[in-house]
Amino acid sequence: MTRAPCPPVAAEWLGIEPGTLVTVRDRLLATEGEPPVMIAISYFPAWVIDKAPDLADPGRGGMPELLREAFGETYSSDVLTVRMPTTTEQQRLDLPRSVPVQIIHGGTYDSERQPIHFIEVVAAGGRVEFAYVFGTVPGDS
């Protein structure tokens, strides 16, 4: 678990003051033997980790399920952009400087619209595909 001051972009999504101590979950995701596909950095206010302590473990998957177990139904909102990588992103992703990255800024909210999570995903161009389903998927009949 890493506790650090919340950067401005995450603070804005979480509705807290920049610099507030938050739990940061920094993951570099890759398939064995392949270059990394993405960096995923999540930010959680202290009260969220108090209610769902397993979220602080970067080795633990299933974050959406952990959030739902602790907070009930949740929903998310994402903003996607593309840009050239920073030097740090280029190094972490083992990416040529000329390859762009897909940026996803996303917030997760509880049923009362309170922000409980912010994530910044930096995905290597050409290494990953994203697909979204919006709305309620009907159950099997």
Side-chain angles (χ1 to χ4, degrees):
M1 168 170 70
T2 301
R3 294 197 30 94
C6 192
V9 68
E12 183 178 339
W13 280 75
L14 292 171
I16 61 177
E17 289 295 317
T20 301
L21 282 182
V22 293
T23 296
V24 181
R25 179 180 154 131
D26 186 334
R27 302 176 76 196
L28 182 65
L29 304 168
T31 301
E32 191 174 327
E34 299 292 328
V37 295
M38 74 179 78
I39 302 163
I41 304 175
S42 292
Y43 300 86
F44 301 96
W47 63 271
V48 171
I49 297 300
D50 289 345
K51 195 164 180 180
D54 287 340
L55 290 169
D57 179 359
R60 174 100 191 251
M63 185 182 52
E65 290 81 17
L66 293 171
L67 287 169
R68 282 192 294 275
E69 286 172 8
F71 297 97
E73 286 303 312
T74 63
Y75 69 96
S76 299
S77 174
D78 293 342
V79 175
L80 288 75
T81 58
V82 174
R83 63 167 168 73
M84 297 310 290
T86 65
T87 300
T88 301
E89 293 164 350
Q90 179 188 359
Q91 291 168 350
R92 287 189 75 188
L93 292 169
D94 189 21
L95 196 62
R97 182 73 180 139
S98 61
V99 175
V101 289
Q102 174 76 59
I103 305 298
I104 302 172
H105 284 171
T108 305
Y109 306 86
D110 67 13
S111 62
E112 295 179 13
R113 298 183 180 195
Q114 182 170 7
I116 56 177
H117 166 247
F118 169 74
I119 190 167
E120 179 177 65
V121 173
V122 180
R127 292 188 191 157
V128 65
E129 177 179 78
F130 294 99
Y132 290 87
V133 175
F134 294 96
T136 303
V137 177
D140 293 334
S141 51

